[in-house]
Amino acid sequence: MNTETKYNPQDYKSDQYVRWCPGCGDYATLNSLHRAMAEINIPPHQIAVISGIGCSSRLPYYMNSYGFHTIHGRGAAIATGVKTARPDLNVWLITGDGDCLAIGGNHFIHAVRRNVDINIVLMNNKIYGLTKGQYSPTSDRGFISKSSPFGTVEDPFVPAELTLGARGQFFARAIDVDLPVMNSVMVAAARHRGTSVVEVLVNCVIFNDGIHKQISEKAFRAERTIFLRHGEKMLFGQNNEKGLVLDGLKIKAVTVGQDGYAPDDILVHDAHEKDVTLHNMLALMKDDLPLATGVIREVDAPTYDESVARQIAEVQARNPVRKLHDLLMSGETWEVK
């Protein structure tokens, strides 16, 4: 964190024309990233933005920072290498549901498992947008697309479930039209030590318009989503008149003051709880339960890059060899004349 120079969002914007379709949710994600960097006040030259292939993966061009537009699905591997070699950099991986969870799925789960200190922003529009409308790993069963004209016959990946199943320590979710929530989770992700995964539900106005409208429309967003804050009651609704309670081993939505439910009965969100059980339940809420946004899980754990650096230092301390020449000459040698 820089304390001498005060940066603003404009300092993180490149001079490149932003090439996304008008109305695309990726614009909001880019805007939030600029704002988050300014809030944390990270110098642009200490940021590296990595991406794979897809509409979302154009984002590094629009950042006034180091960037690397890599190949399909391999962004997590490159980001891991960057952070391990340059632990001083603030590393971001920008990816989409196709790039990250299809060809890049294996790299994704292992980056999460290793807890590399990178920030993964997963823009989920449930479609392949760049290649013109094929179904993706997050498309719902029965979804009709150019590559599934009669409807998909597959169940989708749920990014939260995949992250937590891979032993992820940080997962957050935001909707592209809810900028305050998105800004807050971006800042939290940047400050977290370890792999942070932020799922942003974005709208593809061309090939999957309105895919998230059941939760994103302002008229009923307050009733169908819940913004989780660590240490606060799990309340939602237009006037926070509803809340979440445990009903046996399940989460239940109730109206405070009705059916015997008092304010004290409402669950308090603990994002720092190491046991993943309740976090998983919150992340997977659907149907008659509100969709959870905000930081769902945030737990401290050893990071891959710090562990590698510490291991190298320990080995070097025990081994006097410092140069390749010293290593080559450390065994039996002879001179040929």
Side-chain angles (χ1 to χ4, degrees):
M1 176 177 174
N2 180 50
T3 57
E4 297 180 1
T5 304
K6 180 61 179 176
Y7 295 98
N8 60 64
Q10 191 65 35
D11 294 319
Y12 301 92
K13 297 180 181 180
S14 75
D15 60 358
Q16 298 297 301
Y17 178 77
V18 181
R19 298 181 182 278
W20 285 316
C21 301
C24 176
D26 293 5
Y27 284 100
T29 309
L30 175 64
N31 180 280
S32 286
L33 190 56
H34 289 153
R35 290 178 178 274
M37 295 298 92
E39 182 171 338
I40 301 172
N41 212 39
I42 301 175
H45 66 272
Q46 290 183 0
I47 300 171
V49 183
I50 316 300
S51 69
I53 295 297
C55 295
S56 61
S57 294
R58 294 173 177 169
L59 192 142
Y61 296 106
Y62 313 137
M63 293 289 297
N64 179 33
S65 66
Y66 292 112
F68 193 168
H69 190 177
T70 72
I71 57 178
H72 203 187
R74 306 306 190 245
I78 301 298
T80 297
V82 171
K83 186 63 182 183
T84 305
R86 288 290 304 273
D88 57 306
L89 293 178
N90 188 265
V91 180
W92 292 78
L93 169 61
I94 308 299
T95 185
D97 46 298
D99 178 61
C100 183
L101 303 181
I103 190 172
N106 208 40
H107 293 299
F108 171 73
I109 61 173
H110 288 295
V112 171
R113 175 183 65 83
R114 290 170 175 143
N115 202 32
V116 187
D117 189 17
I118 60 176
N119 309 298
I120 302 175
V121 178
L122 199 174
M123 299 190 217
N124 184 6
N125 55 19
K126 297 190 175 186
I127 197 77
Y128 278 102
L130 187 68
T131 53
K132 308 300 182 285
Q134 299 83 4
Y135 76 92
S136 85
T138 58
S139 298
D140 297 322
R141 176 180 281 270
F143 180 73
I144 295 175
S145 72
K146 290 182 178 178
S147 56
S148 56
F150 304 108
T152 66
V153 293
E154 306 171 9
D155 287 321
F157 270 143
V158 178
E161 189 174 33
L162 198 60
T163 300
L164 299 180
R167 309 191 66 160
Q169 305 298 341
F170 184 106
F171 180 81
R173 183 188 287 132
I175 307 171
D176 57 2
V177 294
D178 197 343
L179 289 178
V181 171
M182 185 154 34
N183 292 346
S184 70
V185 299
M186 291 285 192
V187 169
R191 288 176 172 162
H192 177 73
R193 288 176 55 258
T195 304
S196 65
V197 179
V198 176
E199 179 190 18
V200 183
L201 302 179
V202 300
N203 189 42
C204 175
V205 294
I206 304 300
F207 297 107
N208 211 12
D209 192 24
I211 187 61
H212 303 299
K213 66 180 181 180
Q214 295 302 318
I215 55 171
S216 64
E217 291 289 343
K218 195 171 183 178
F220 42 73
R221 193 187 312 157
E223 300 293 329
R224 297 180 182 177
T225 66
I226 181 170
F227 178 35
L228 298 176
R229 301 175 180 86
H230 174 72
E232 297 187 14
K233 293 281 186 180
M234 299 184 193
L235 296 169
F236 68 103
Q238 291 291 348
N239 301 300
N240 280 343
E241 73 280 7
K242 300 178 181 179
L244 301 179
V245 299
L246 273 180
D247 184 15
L249 298 177
K250 295 182 179 181
I251 291 178
K252 179 181 178 180
V254 301
T255 300
V256 180
Q258 293 184 12
D259 300 321
Y261 289 103
D264 288 344
D265 296 321
I266 305 303
L267 292 169
V268 174
H269 183 43
D270 184 0
H272 303 161
E273 169 58 53
K274 291 185 178 180
D275 190 305
V276 75
T277 304
L278 187 55
H279 295 159
N280 200 56
M281 293 168 64
L282 291 167
L284 296 179
M285 290 191 301
K286 61 180 182 178
D287 298 330
D288 58 337
L289 292 172
L291 179 87
T293 66
V295 177
I296 296 172
R297 179 174 176 82
E298 182 180 8
V299 176
D300 288 332
T303 67
Y304 177 85
D305 40 293
E306 288 181 344
S307 298
V308 168
R310 182 167 55 251
Q311 186 180 68
I312 291 173
E314 291 172 354
V315 172
Q316 287 178 335
R318 297 194 304 265
N319 192 336
V321 175
R322 289 290 180 273
K323 300 178 182 179
L324 178 61
H325 178 270
D326 296 337
L327 176 63
L328 295 176
M329 302 301 290
S330 62
E332 294 185 16
T333 62
W334 62 92
E335 184 177 347
V336 179
K337 295 185 178 180

